[in-house]
């Protein structure tokens, strides 16, 4: 079998078919066969080979990264929360000012406001703030300006309540009502009077009912500074506020509200108790109630203001030497104890005995009268002395002080003789006057 050369294999591969035989020969696949029979290229005959020039790499353009869009949701939530919180705060402020302006939810207790001559709206608003009538002086000033009331305020005493609206308060402070146009009633409470005595004086002058006054005065709670210093336990007291009715001359109106009467009296006591007096009181280790009780005993015991300092010194000495002098032994306390017993609806021996310093040690549980400022200052003065006894001649006003019991008993006998002589001379004078009338 004839052997096929490479050309034949190539041609067969190109065409993909088997050539036909003609007369024992292989038919050419392509006519111009010679074109495909060129000799192979001789690379060795070419010029010297040289390395191709390095291709310069063209720098790639960096792709810009797309910024990630931040979510606006957290910012929207924060802004919404802030606006909501601000709205709530503003609403609360507006509501608070609105409630204050309308007097909603505030106390209905009456307060006595004294407007001084020449006081401005700013001054008045601060007075109202200090008395807990209003909470915002600036708001009151603005309201007064809008109402054009700045020049209409009337100096003097006015009764207002925290639950009044600004409009009502301004009307009260700028007008003279019918009560203020009535004739005033001048009332004087003497030093050493009791609440019971004062109540009867008020009723006799047509100011208010005695029973209504006693109830309101002892109820207290009128918002004065001194009330914050009162004891919580008053179970042994007969009249809770005995001692706080400051003896003085007052001007009331007929048929006044008892609460308003009490306001005027409370205000006077509050003004008398200055910071200096409170400072002395605290330095002596006294409470306000002890001071007033102590002063009430001095007021009843002293024949006059000149002897109050030494009467107070006697009781100071006994209190500080309780081992030797366990009892104060004050006659006026025994008298008040009897008064309490007569006024009681249901007898309570514990209360009655607690007022009697011949029975119970120390000071009574409360005042036995309403002392004047001289008696209060006598206690605060705390004069040093060696006296532990005294006796007074109630007819002459003379008081005799003693350091020892023997000396005291000598003075006691002398005073008793003086009293007997005074009574005898008084009886003789009355008989002589009767004879003169007959003739």
């Amino acid at each position: 079998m004839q052997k096929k050369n490479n050309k034949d294999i190539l041609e067969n591969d190109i065409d993909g078919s088997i050539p036909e035989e003609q007369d024992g020969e292989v038919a050419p696949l392509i006519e111009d066969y010679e074109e495909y029979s060129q000799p192979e290229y001789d690379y060795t005959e070419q010029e010297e080979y040289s390395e191709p020039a390095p291709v310069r790499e063209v720098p790639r353009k960096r792709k810009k990264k797309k910024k990630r869009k931040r979510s606006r949701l957290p910012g929207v939530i924060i802004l919404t929360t802030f606006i909501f919180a601000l709205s709530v705060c503003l609403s609360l402020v507006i509501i608070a000012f609105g409630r204050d302006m309308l007097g909603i939810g505030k106390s209905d207790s009456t307060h006595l406001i004294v407007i001084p001559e020449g006081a401005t709206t700013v001054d008045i608003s601060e007075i109202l703030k200090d008395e807990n009538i209003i909470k915002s002086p600036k708001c009151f000033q603005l309201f007064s300006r809008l109402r054009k009331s700045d020049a209409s305020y009337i100096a003097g005493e006015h009764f207002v309540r925290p639950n009044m609206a600004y409009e009502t308060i301004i009307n009260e402070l700028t007008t003279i009502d019918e009560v203020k146009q009535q004739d005033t009633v001048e009332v004087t409470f003497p030093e050493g009077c009791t609440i019971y005595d004062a109540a009867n004086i008020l009723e006799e002058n047509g100011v208010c009912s005695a029973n209504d006054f006693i109830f309101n005065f002892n109820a207290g709670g009128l918002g004065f500074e001194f009330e914050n210093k009162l004891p919580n336990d008053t179970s042994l007291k007969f009249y809770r506020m005995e001692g706080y009715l400051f003896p003085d001359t007052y001007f009331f109106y007929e048929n006044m509200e008892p609460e308003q009467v009490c306001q005027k009296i409370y205000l006077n006591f509050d003004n008398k108790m200055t910071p200096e007096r409170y400072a002395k009181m605290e330095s002596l280790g006294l409470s306000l109630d002890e001071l007033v009780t102590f002063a009430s005993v001095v007021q009843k015991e002293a024949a006059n203001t000149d002897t109050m300092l030494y009467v107070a010194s006697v009781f100071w000495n006994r209190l500080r030497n309780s081992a030797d002098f366990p009892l104060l032994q004050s006659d006026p306390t025994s008298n008040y104890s009897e008064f309490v017993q007569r006024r009681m609806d249901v007898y309570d021996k514990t209360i009655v005995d607690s007022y009697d310093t011949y029975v119970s040690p120390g000071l009574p549980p409360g005042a036995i009268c309403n002392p004047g400022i001289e008696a209060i200052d006598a206690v605060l003065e705390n004069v040093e002395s060696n006296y532990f006894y005294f006796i007074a001649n109630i007819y002459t006003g003379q008081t005799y002080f003693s350091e020892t019991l023997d000396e005291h008993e000598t003075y006691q006998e002398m005073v008793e003789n003086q009293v007997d002589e005074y009574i005898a001379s008084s009886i003789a004078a009355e008989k002589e006057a009767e004879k003169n009338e007959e003739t």
Side-chain angles (χ1 to χ4, degrees):
M1 183 173 178
Q2 189 178 358
K3 210 174 186 179
K4 291 185 181 181
N5 58 22
N6 293 333
K7 184 179 178 182
D8 292 337
I9 295 171
L10 177 63
E11 289 176 350
N12 285 333
D13 290 339
I14 293 172
D15 187 67
S17 61
I18 300 175
E20 296 181 359
E21 293 184 0
Q22 294 181 1
D23 298 330
E25 296 180 358
V26 177
L29 295 175
I30 303 173
E31 291 182 358
D32 296 326
Y33 177 75
E34 291 81 3
E35 297 179 5
Y36 296 96
S37 59
Q38 296 294 329
E40 292 184 3
Y41 187 82
D42 188 1
Y43 291 98
T44 60
E45 295 179 0
Q46 295 296 323
E47 296 179 358
E48 186 178 355
Y49 177 77
S50 60
E51 291 289 336
V55 178
R56 188 174 61 182
E57 185 176 355
V58 178
R60 298 180 187 178
K61 289 184 179 181
R62 292 182 179 179
K63 292 182 180 181
K64 293 183 178 179
K65 292 183 178 180
K66 293 183 179 181
K67 294 182 178 179
R68 293 176 62 186
K69 292 184 179 180
R70 294 180 179 177
S71 175
R72 295 182 179 179
L73 183 59
V76 171
I77 293 175
I78 293 172
L79 182 59
T80 303
T81 303
F82 174 75
I83 293 173
F84 178 75
L86 183 62
S87 301
V88 171
C89 292
L90 289 174
S91 300
L92 292 174
V93 170
I94 292 171
I95 291 171
F97 281 123
R99 288 171 64 86
D100 187 50
M101 190 179 300
L102 297 174
I104 298 173
K106 297 200 292 184
S107 171
D108 60 353
S109 61
T110 302
H111 290 248
L112 176 60
I113 302 298
V114 180
I115 298 179
E117 290 287 347
T120 64
T121 303
V122 174
D123 298 331
I124 294 169
S125 66
E126 292 296 335
I127 292 172
L128 293 171
K129 171 72 165 50
D130 293 341
E131 293 292 332
N132 295 319
I133 304 299
I134 63 172
K135 294 181 179 178
S136 174
K138 295 290 185 183
C139 189
F140 182 85
Q141 294 164 24
L142 176 61
F143 190 89
S144 177
R145 193 176 302 115
L146 293 174
R147 197 176 178 275
K148 298 180 180 179
S149 301
D150 289 351
S152 304
Y153 292 104
I154 300 172
E157 298 177 345
H158 301 271
F159 291 99
V160 293
R161 298 186 307 277
N163 65 350
M164 285 180 171
Y166 282 7
E167 179 79 17
T168 308
I169 293 173
I170 292 174
N171 286 338
E172 172 62 32
L173 302 182
T174 57
T175 58
I176 300 176
D177 56 25
E178 295 180 1
V179 174
K180 295 177 183 177
Q181 292 176 348
Q182 296 177 5
D183 292 335
T184 57
V185 179
E186 183 177 342
V187 175
T188 299
F189 302 126
E191 284 91 351
C193 71
T194 64
I195 290 177
Y196 180 79
D197 299 330
N200 288 329
I201 293 172
L202 290 169
E203 186 168 275
E204 289 168 4
N205 285 274
V207 177
C208 65
S209 162
N211 289 333
D212 290 344
F213 171 77
I214 291 174
F215 174 81
N216 281 273
F217 195 83
N218 284 304
L222 301 181
F224 289 92
E225 181 183 352
F226 79 88
E227 292 183 87
N228 298 325
K229 301 180 184 295
L230 299 180
N232 294 323
D233 183 10
T234 58
S235 57
L236 290 178
K237 283 189 171 186
F238 180 65
Y239 283 145
R240 175 176 173 268
M241 295 302 292
E242 187 80 271
Y244 297 93
L245 188 152
F246 193 82
D248 207 342
T249 297
Y250 296 83
F251 293 92
F252 302 110
Y253 304 102
E254 291 184 358
N255 301 316
M256 277 186 74
E257 291 294 329
E259 188 180 9
Q260 295 181 356
V261 175
C262 297
Q263 281 279 347
K264 291 174 74 76
I265 299 172
Y266 270 48
L267 176 64
N268 197 10
F269 182 89
D270 201 51
N271 290 337
K272 291 295 188 296
M273 288 305 299
T274 60
E276 293 76 17
R277 288 192 172 99
Y278 280 126
K280 284 185 178 181
M281 178 188 81
E282 292 169 2
S283 68
L284 293 170
L286 293 173
S287 68
L288 179 59
D289 214 48
E290 289 170 338
L291 170 61
V292 171
T293 300
F294 197 156
S296 72
V297 176
V298 173
Q299 180 72 62
K300 279 296 190 180
E301 285 280 14
N304 51 61
T305 56
D306 295 334
T307 60
M308 284 182 176
L309 290 172
Y310 289 100
V311 168
S313 75
V314 168
F315 290 120
W316 269 123
N317 290 338
R318 282 179 169 254
L319 288 170
R320 288 167 177 162
N321 294 272
S322 58
D324 297 326
F325 299 91
L327 301 174
L328 295 183
Q329 295 180 323
S330 168
D331 291 340
T333 63
S334 299
N335 297 336
Y336 191 82
S337 175
E338 293 173 2
F339 163 78
V340 169
Q341 184 175 344
R342 292 194 304 270
R343 296 291 303 166
M344 275 185 167
D345 295 329
V346 178
Y347 176 70
D348 189 328
K349 187 176 186 300
T350 303
I351 294 177
V352 172
D353 288 348
S354 67
Y355 277 100
D356 190 346
T357 58
Y358 279 93
V359 177
S360 299
L363 292 168
I368 61 172
C369 70
N370 293 279
I373 200 64
E374 292 85 2
I376 292 173
D377 286 341
V379 175
L380 294 175
E381 196 64 30
N382 187 25
V383 170
E384 292 185 7
S385 76
N386 296 320
Y387 300 138
F388 287 89
Y389 306 90
F390 68 88
I391 186 170
N393 185 328
I394 60 174
Y395 295 105
T396 64
Q398 182 68 41
T399 303
Y400 303 93
F401 295 91
S402 307
E403 296 182 17
T404 65
L405 180 58
D406 290 340
E407 187 180 3
H408 173 67
E409 289 175 347
T410 301
Y411 280 130
Q412 189 173 21
E413 184 178 354
M414 181 185 69
V415 169
E416 289 174 355
N417 292 332
Q418 291 175 350
V419 170
D420 291 339
E421 291 175 3
Y422 180 85
I423 294 174
S425 62
S426 297
I427 294 173
E430 288 179 1
K431 290 180 179 181
E432 187 67 26
E434 291 175 358
K435 287 180 181 180
N436 293 332
E437 288 179 359
E438 292 176 358
T439 57

